[in-house]
Amino acid sequence: IMTRLIITAKDVQVILDVSSGHASRIIRVIKRINKKEKHQKITITEFCRYMGFEVKEVMLVLQEFYKRK
């Protein structure tokens, strides 16, 4: 399994199959909930906690997606 700390809007787009704008909105909501500033990133763990996903499942989806590229 690949090891990554940060999740990007592109990753959110891939995982949830949403537009880039919607993915960015989700990241902004998670930042607000976690009291982060604009320049701060969100972690895969924070994303999973918000969405109710397992970290391992998300990592596998991202690994499969980026392996195909």
Side-chain angles (χ1 to χ4, degrees), residues 9-10 12-13 17-28:
K10 175 67 179 171
V12 174
Q13 220 180 329
D17 192 27
V18 295
S19 68
S20 59
H22 189 66
S24 295
R25 274 192 297 282
I26 290 169
I27 286 182
R28 279 197 301 275

Side-chain angles (χ1 to χ4, degrees), residues 39-69:
H39 71 279
Q40 293 177 309
K41 307 294 182 196
I42 67 164
T43 65
I44 291 176
T45 304
E46 288 167 333
F47 170 77
C48 290
R49 193 178 311 126
Y50 175 76
M51 294 303 298
F53 295 155
E54 291 291 326
V55 173
K56 282 183 181 179
E57 291 174 341
V58 168
M59 295 296 263
L60 284 172
V61 169
L62 291 176
Q63 188 177 27
E64 282 302 308
F65 177 78
Y66 288 110
K67 208 183 331 182
R68 280 188 267 137
K69 289 196 144 224

